[in-house]
Amino acid sequence: MAESAPRRCCLGWDFSTQQVKVVAVDAEMNVFYEESVHFDRDLPEFGTRGGVHVHKDGLTVTSPVLMWVQALDIILEKMKASGFDFSQVLALSGAGQQHGSIYWQAGAQQALKSLSPDLPLHQQLQACFSINDCPVWMDSSTTAQCRQLEAAVGGAQALSCLTGSRAYERFTGNQIAKIYQQNPKAYSHTERISLVSSFAASLFLGSYSPIDYSDGSGMNLLHIQDKVWSQACLGSCAPHLEEKLGPPVPSCSVVGAISSFYVQRYGFPPGCKVVAFTGDNPASLAGMRLEEGDIAVSLGTSDTLFLWLQEPMPALEGHIFCNPVDPQHYMALLCFKNGSLMREKIRDEFASCSWSEFSKALQSTEMGNGGNLGFYFDVMEITPEIIGRHRFNTEKRKVSAFPGDMEVRALIEGQFMAKRIHAEGLGYRVMSKTKILATGGASHNRDILQVLADVFGAPVYVIDTANSACLGSAYRAFHGLAGGTDVPFSEVVKLAPNPRLAATPSPGASQKNKMVRKQSHFKYITQERILEFNRE
Ligand SMILES: O=C(CO)[C@@H](O)[C@H](O)CF
C-alpha cells in the first residue's frame, strides 16, 4: 500500500466509564482515525459490567485502575498493528470520567519516570497503587462525608458558592474523605491522588500530571473563583491533602512532553506535547465548540444541559465548573432524570406508541398549549427533587388530565421550560447570538426541536456527539499547541465541521415565551408548594 502522505495531527483520548477511545484529528480539523478498547469485552479478566463493579451494599461503585492501564497498552498496540504513524503526532490531550480518583503508592512516580520500552505499562505499574479498586462517579456511598463537608463550610449553599456545587456523593473530596476514614493505612501510603483525567495524562507524561481547573471543579475542593484548593474543604476531607493533589493548572496548559517510553516503544516524536487532560463533560463542551451564550441539550435517557456562563450563580441544583477553553468563564451542567423514558411513556399513553402520532400531536396543538402547563416526573427528579405528574389549566388550577394531544405538548413544553428556567437560575441568559445545540435520541424528531426553538426563542442545530469528548480533547491539544490562553479556542477550531440548522423560533415565540414563562415562574412557586405537600 502506498505510503500515505505525512499527516500531522493531534490525538484526543477519552478514558470513559465503559471504554478507552482515541481519535486523530488533522490540521484541517478532520477526524481520520479512531480506535477503542471496551473494558467488559476486551478485558474480561477484570469482571466489570459497564466498566464498573457495583458492590454488595448497592452504593459503592469502583473500577480497577490496572484495567485502565492495560486498556491503554491494548489500544496503542492496536494502533501500531494498524500502521498508525505516531511520528506525525504534534500533541495529545484527553478526558476522563469525572469525579473518579486514583491513589498512587509512595514511590510510584519513580516507576513512572523509569518505564522500560521493552515491557507494557501494566506490567511495570502493578505495584504503583495503594487502592486498586478506585471509586467512580456512579458511587453514592459517601452521604455522611457530604454532610460533614457542608457543615464544615457553613452549609450546602455556602459549599456551592465556594466550589460550584453542593456536596454530592460522587464528588472526589467526599470519596477521599471516606478512604481516609475507612482505610487510613492506604491513605498514608498514598503519595499522589489523581482524577481519572490527570491519571491518564500522567501515563503519557511519565510523571504526575496536575489536575486541571475544569475537572478539579468536580471535587467539592476547588475554589472556582480563585482557582485554588479551598483550605476549609481540604481540611474537612483529609490531612496533608494539598500535597497529595499538587497545584491545579489552567485546562489549556501544556503539562510537558511525552514520556520517552512512547517515543521508543511506538515512535512518537520526542517533542510531542501533552496538554492537560480534563473531565469528559468539559471535553464534550469543547468538542461541541460551545461558545458564550450557547446551550447544548443532550436528549437521552436523562437529559443533560451544558451551559456557557460568564457570571455563574451557584445553586443547590446543577454543577458549575471552570470553563475548559476560556479560563475567565465557566460552564454548567444540569441533569434531568425524567428524559426519554418520560417521553416514551407519554408517547405510549397518548400517541398510540408511535413517534409519528407524537409528532402529529405537536403539529395539531398551538405553541403555549393555550396556557396549559404540565410537569411530568414518573421517577424522582434530580432538578428539582420532585416526583409525580402536575398539570395546571389556563386558570392556573391543578387538573388531573388534558385532552390527548395537549398532554403531548404539555410534556415537551414543560420539559424545555424547566430547562430554560433552571439554566437561568444558574446565571444563563439567552443572547441574540445564542445557538442551541441538540444531540441524543430525541434530537432526531424535528417537531420536538421546534418546541425547543420556541421555548428558548433561539435557533436549534443538531450535532453528532458520539465522539464529542475525544474530539474536544484533540481540539484542546491544538489549542494548547497554539499557545492556550493567548489564542481564542474558537479561532483554533474554526475549520471544524459546522452543526446543521434544524429549527428556528416560530413567529411570535418570544411573546409567547414571556407569557408562558410568567406562568412557569408561577408554576415553580406552585411546585414548591407541591414539594411541601410531598414532604407532609
Ligand atoms: O458524574 C458525571 C458528571 O457530573 C458524569 O457525567 C460522569 O462524568 C460520566 F463519566
Side-chain angles (χ1 to χ4, degrees), residues 272-292:
C272 174
K273 296 281 185 291
V274 178
V275 176
F277 284 32
T278 192
D280 56 351
N281 292 296
S284 288
L285 178 136
M288 294 186 278
R289 295 190 295 143
L290 220 63
E291 297 182 294
E292 190 182 333

Side-chain angles (χ1 to χ4, degrees), residues 15-17 96-99 137-138 170-171 215 279-282 304 319 321 333 335:
F15 285 68
S16 67
T17 312
Q97 53 175 299
Q98 290 191 264
H99 318 304
W137 68 277
M138 294 165 67
R170 67 187 190 278
F171 276 43
D215 206 15
D280 56 351
N281 292 296
T304 305
H319 313 292
F321 304 133
L333 206 58
C335 298

Side-chain angles (χ1 to χ4, degrees), residues 69-70 73-74 77 115-125 261 265-266:
V69 175
Q70 199 163 337
D73 283 324
I74 295 172
E77 291 301 325
L115 290 169
S116 160
D118 303 325
L119 293 170
L121 289 166
H122 75 278
Q123 287 182 17
Q124 304 186 67
L125 299 179
F261 169 83
R265 188 173 175 89
Y266 296 104

Side-chain angles (χ1 to χ4, degrees), residues 39-40 42-49 51-53 62-71 74 122 126 132-133:
F39 302 133
D40 296 359
D42 302 325
L43 288 157
E45 63 271 32
F46 288 96
T48 56
R49 290 188 63 186
V52 301
H53 291 134
T62 62
S63 289
V65 59
L66 286 170
M67 176 180 74
W68 294 332
V69 175
Q70 199 163 337
I74 295 172
H122 75 278
Q126 286 285 340
N132 282 312
D133 285 319

